[in-house]
Amino acid sequence: MSHSFFNLYSHDFARVAVAVPRCRVADPAYNAQETIRLARDAAAQGAALVAFTELGLSAYTCDDLFHQRALLDACLAALNDVVEASKSIASVLVVGAPLRVDHQLFNCAVVLSGGRIHGVVPKTYLPNYGEFYEARQFSAADEALSQDITLLGQTVPFGAAQLFEVENLPLLKFHVEICEDVWVPIPPSSFAALAGATVLVNLSASNVVIGKADYRHQLVGQQSARCLSAYLYSSAGRGESTTDLAWDGQALIYENGELLREAERFQDESHVIYGDVDLERLSRERMRQTTFGQSMRRHAQELSRFRTARFALDLPRHQVLPLARNVARFPYVPSNPALRDKRCNEVYNIQVQALVQRLSSSGIRKVVIGVSGGLDSTHALLVCAKAMDRLNLPRANIIAITMPGFATSTRTLEQARALMAFVGCTASEIDIRPSCIQMMKDIGHPYAEGAEQYDITFENVQAGERTNHLFRIANHVGGIVIGTGDLSELALGWCTYGVGDHMSHYNVNASVPKTLISHLVRWVAESRQFGDVDSAVLLAVVNTEISPELVPGKSDDGAPAQITESVIGPYELQDFNLYYTLRFGFAPSKVAFLSHAAWSDRETGHWPNDAHVVRNQYAMKEIKANLAIFLRRFFLTSQFKRTCVPNGPKVGSGGSLSPRGDWRAPSDSEAVVWMNDLKNVPDVA
């Protein structure tokens, strides 16, 4: 059980490889041996699928040598060597070779494994412009007469409209096209994806000129994104003739528009890159994006042409096989500093623009906000300030109130005061303790008589009094209450329902998770969004331990008794759990597997050569325990709070929890199926 759990194939991943052999022009025997060597290496690394280069057994640059029988016979013999060798290679191989069919010559991709040829795919589009003269030697796929051919004593499907499915990994269904096929307006792989292919393979030669490598990235990345697929792309490297051209050996693996792996270009030796493709993610994206299904129906006649070859592979399922793929610890926050700054800038402007529109459309010129001195209210206050600037309204139109209660710490109170001064809003302070005591007297709570009973009622009386004040002040000044609660709190139900921090007139933080908010506040400070004003107070807020400050502490420094993350778990873990649960609908066992890949002691980096070790963060037992907290709170106890949330802008593809947007769920469902699946997660690695 333990070994299979920590195996990527148990979670609908597939390790794929793109191999670029160093070749010799018109030396098929040598090229076959190099192909076999790389195939064995890839299989040893657990790869299920290995793609090679266009016409790799002959080399691409043979020109009119392709019309020489000696070369074509040698290519057939070389292919036979690869087929025989595949009997002891536990991967499916896709190799390029010139093949004679019906008195014509075709530029082909041959799909084979276990000593069997599963299909031959001829190139559909032959470039005959610029430096390319393929129509001089080859025929295009549409010119073929036969749909089945005899090859090396085997009857084999022949044609471009083929899919290949691994029976014991059914989400791995792939299609093969060749070089120019992806450069045309409607590549064959577009229809193949609609027909069910989750992985698209391109055997390419593709000589290099200035700027072409970047264009390949755009081409392959966009094709994988539009087709909601993985895309494997090879291009020929060292050994091809440089009579008139040059070759860089670029190899790419993309998944739904995201680059998983890229080879270093201009290498002298053969090389292989690996990527672990999340097949379930691709399948779920197609289910979620209903226009994909509409496209299937629209092109049903074209899709009916596809045939599917099915075969099994000896996958390495019964061993520890960790992901050779970076899993971001903070899926809502880019790890690259430049990209992170760009993300923060965009999120901030989305929030500001949304609030500007709400104020403009309603004709309201004032906002009311409670400022606690913590992260969420700080960021919401910053959004309000920038919105007033955009509307050319004075920041005095921000009515900001800090409302100390029974457990408010000196630190957060001082930070709240400093923040309001920093922004230049209309600031005031209301001590809510008298009204809270009156409320507790009215309802007969023991605290009103001097008992130290700090129960949920004691906490919610304070949250309710704060929100009640804000709404009445908004009535009084003609403004709207700006909510401050974030996506993480809403996911975990960490908010007081109704007249509490759950409610507002408009919540600018509604779809921003806690881990991103901390970066947003830091970004506002470091990028000087408010000019040269000293923003040290913002950095102090970022470094403040998160607490609702509702239960009095007993320490001399006035620190609160409550530490939020000691109750609901670390936000960095719970935001990770939220992302993969909400965005992709993954089962808890897969979320835990991904969390282990991201947060445990592991090797990271461009696998396997330039790995580095990161310090341990969370052991498997901690990952499982905190995921259990998340599942109970998210699925069982908190949905009723999410069915009636205020308006607020969605900021990211990670999703929101608004019932008008990404998440619609019953308030009285059970969590049993998620908790049962969690039992499949081991306590130790």
Side-chain angles (χ1 to χ4, degrees):
M1 163 61 191
S2 175
H3 283 179
S4 62
F5 178 84
F6 295 104
N7 184 298
L8 63 94
Y9 286 102
S10 297
H11 302 279
D12 287 319
F13 285 92
R15 180 160 296 168
V16 297
V18 179
V20 181
R22 179 167 176 166
C23 70
R24 291 181 183 174
V25 178
D27 190 351
Y30 171 86
N31 297 336
Q33 291 310 304
E34 193 65 2
T35 296
I36 292 167
R37 183 180 70 83
L38 295 183
R40 293 192 192 282
D41 289 347
Q45 297 293 346
L49 169 63
V50 190
F52 290 86
T53 55
E54 180 181 10
L55 294 171
L57 292 183
S58 58
Y60 178 78
T61 48
C62 291
D63 291 328
D64 284 352
L65 299 183
F66 283 121
H67 285 163
Q68 294 290 312
R69 177 180 171 179
L71 177 62
L72 298 178
D73 286 349
C75 287
L76 202 58
L79 178 60
N80 186 67
D81 290 343
V82 176
V83 172
E84 286 298 311
S86 73
K87 293 177 180 178
S88 60
I89 297 174
S91 306
V92 58
L93 313 180
V94 187
V95 299
L99 294 177
R100 293 160 287 187
V101 177
D102 294 333
H103 314 293
Q104 300 181 86
L105 186 64
F106 292 91
N107 178 344
C108 297
V110 183
V111 180
L112 59 101
S113 71
R116 296 292 304 172
I117 299 174
H118 304 300
V120 175
V121 179
K123 189 171 184 176
T124 299
Y125 294 96
L126 302 179
N128 219 53
Y129 58 87
E131 62 266 46
F132 302 109
Y133 297 95
E134 287 189 33
R136 178 182 174 95
Q137 289 98 25
F138 297 103
S139 297
D142 291 342
E143 299 172 37
L145 299 177
S146 298
Q147 292 186 329
D148 296 282
I149 62 173
T150 299
L151 182 60
L152 300 177
Q154 301 181 33
T155 300
V156 177
F158 183 82
Q162 293 191 69
L163 302 179
F164 302 91
E165 181 180 314
V166 178
E167 290 178 339
N168 49 337
L169 189 62
L171 290 181
L172 178 53
K173 181 181 287 189
F174 65 92
H175 170 265
V176 184
E177 59 191 7
I178 301 174
C179 200
E180 185 77 7
D181 292 348
V182 76
W183 296 70
V184 301
I186 305 177
S189 57
S190 296
F191 295 115
L194 293 175
T198 53
V199 177
L200 310 176
V201 178
N202 188 306
L203 305 193
S204 177
S206 191
N207 66 299
V208 63
V209 293
I210 294 170
K212 194 172 186 180
D214 291 338
Y215 189 74
R216 291 188 198 121
H217 271 289
Q218 296 176 33
L219 199 66
V220 173
Q222 282 297 311
Q223 185 65 358
S224 76
R226 285 196 191 92
C227 293
L228 300 177
S229 69
Y231 202 104
L232 282 57
Y233 183 89
S234 67
S235 49
R238 182 68 185 276
E240 290 285 359
S241 172
T242 56
T243 300
D244 290 300
L245 304 174
W247 313 88
D248 64 347
Q250 187 175 28
L252 305 170
I253 301 174
Y254 271 86
E255 177 187 290
N256 195 17
E258 177 184 352
L259 179 65
L260 294 187
R261 198 72 76 236
E262 176 182 13
E264 180 183 345
R265 297 162 60 213
F266 302 108
Q267 294 189 53
D268 284 335
E269 301 303 326
S270 302
H271 50 278
V272 184
I273 60 170
Y274 301 90
D276 291 346
V277 174
D278 191 341
L279 300 172
E280 182 187 6
R281 176 188 176 188
L282 297 172
S283 177
R284 289 190 172 277
E285 286 294 87
R286 293 178 179 189
M287 292 167 57
R288 175 176 174 269
Q289 192 168 310
T290 54
T291 49
F292 190 90
Q294 293 173 24
S295 297
M296 293 168 61
R297 290 188 292 275
R298 178 177 287 270
H299 299 287
Q301 183 174 356
E302 180 72 24
L303 306 189
S304 66
R305 297 174 52 241
F306 281 87
R307 295 185 289 173
T308 301
R310 295 177 176 84
F311 51 89
L313 292 176
D314 185 17
L315 299 172
R317 288 184 178 275
H318 303 294
Q319 63 186 64
V320 173
L321 190 64
L323 281 177
R325 166 189 179 126
N326 179 53
V327 179
R329 292 181 170 183
F330 301 95
Y332 293 103
V333 185
S335 58
N336 179 282
L339 185 57
R340 184 167 60 242
D341 287 348
K342 183 178 180 181
R343 175 74 55 82
C344 288
N345 180 64
E346 186 167 26
V347 170
Y348 187 51
N349 278 285
I350 289 172
Q351 293 177 279
V352 170
Q353 189 275 340
L355 181 56
V356 165
Q357 173 62 24
R358 176 50 56 98
L359 293 173
S360 299
S361 63
S362 64
I364 294 173
R365 298 166 61 88
K366 293 182 179 181
V367 297
V368 177
I369 183 171
V371 180
S372 68
L375 264 178
D376 294 342
S377 64
T378 295
H379 183 59
L381 179 62
L382 297 173
V383 171
C384 291
K386 189 64 72 172
M388 290 299 166
D389 294 348
R390 296 265 178 92
L391 289 165
N392 295 316
L393 294 173
R395 292 187 190 170
N397 283 20
I398 304 171
I399 314 302
I401 308 102
T402 188
M403 293 171 276
F406 299 111
T408 301
S409 67
T410 301
R411 173 171 181 160
T412 56
L413 181 57
E414 290 177 350
Q415 286 174 179
R417 292 166 176 165
L419 283 165
M420 294 186 291
F422 170 89
V423 167
C425 56
T426 299
S428 61
E429 191 169 314
I430 298 175
D431 185 345
I432 63 167
R433 287 173 291 187
S435 59
C436 288
I437 290 173
Q438 182 60 53
M439 170 67 78
M440 285 188 276
K441 283 182 179 178
D442 292 342
I443 66 175
H445 191 276
Y447 182 82
E449 304 300 326
E452 292 187 1
Q453 183 170 317
Y454 304 132
D455 54 13
I456 190 67
T457 304
F458 177 84
E459 295 183 40
N460 285 349
V461 162
Q462 296 172 77
E465 283 300 302
R466 287 186 173 119
T467 304
N468 188 35
H469 277 78
L470 293 176
F471 273 99
R472 301 297 73 79
I473 292 169
N475 294 155
H476 184 58
V477 302
I480 61 171
V481 176
I482 301 302
T484 62
D486 62 47
L487 182 70
S488 309
E489 293 178 340
L490 193 57
L492 294 160
W494 194 249
C495 52
T496 301
Y497 182 79
V499 185
D501 55 326
H502 167 261
M503 193 48 59
S504 62
H505 288 119
Y506 195 75
N507 185 358
V508 294
N509 288 343
S511 67
V512 188
K514 187 77 75 178
T515 49
L516 181 53
I517 283 185
S518 64
H519 285 279
L520 283 163
V521 174
R522 185 183 296 277
W523 172 81
V524 169
E526 294 178 346
S527 62
R528 298 192 174 278
Q529 293 296 305
F530 289 86
D532 294 328
V533 178
D534 180 18
S535 55
V537 61
L538 299 181
L539 299 179
V541 169
V542 172
N543 294 318
T544 301
E545 195 161 30
I546 300 170
S547 169
E549 295 193 337
L550 295 173
V551 175
K554 297 183 179 180
S555 60
D556 294 336
D557 61 0
Q562 296 166 295
I563 302 301
T564 297
E565 291 176 301
S566 67
V567 179
I568 61 173
Y571 275 115
E572 56 191 14
L573 271 186
Q574 302 300 32
D575 279 0
F576 186 97
N577 295 333
L578 172 62
Y579 179 81
Y580 286 104
T581 301
L582 175 62
R583 179 65 180 82
F584 298 112
F586 288 160
S589 53
K590 182 162 184 174
V591 175
F593 175 74
L594 291 168
S595 189
H596 177 260
W599 286 102
S600 66
D601 243 350
R602 67 189 180 98
E603 291 185 342
T604 59
H606 292 293
W607 183 89
N609 297 318
D610 57 342
H612 62 277
V613 177
V614 297
R615 67 187 180 91
N616 182 53
Q617 290 290 328
Y618 296 105
M620 200 68 227
K621 187 175 182 179
E622 295 173 287
I623 289 171
K624 184 176 180 180
N626 284 291
L627 181 53
I629 293 172
F630 173 83
L631 296 173
R632 290 191 190 95
R633 298 187 71 97
F634 185 80
F635 288 106
L636 186 63
T637 66
S638 304
Q639 179 58 32
F640 76 98
K641 297 181 180 180
R642 297 189 286 265
T643 57
C644 52
V645 294
N647 292 180
K650 176 180 175 179
V651 303
S653 61
S656 77
L657 289 170
S658 168
R660 300 170 296 276
D662 287 325
W663 185 251
R664 297 167 179 82
S667 297
D668 47 9
S669 67
E670 300 294 333
V672 62
V673 294
W674 292 272
M675 299 307 295
N676 283 342
D677 183 78
L678 187 64
K679 295 175 183 177
N680 296 321
V681 178
D683 292 322
V684 295

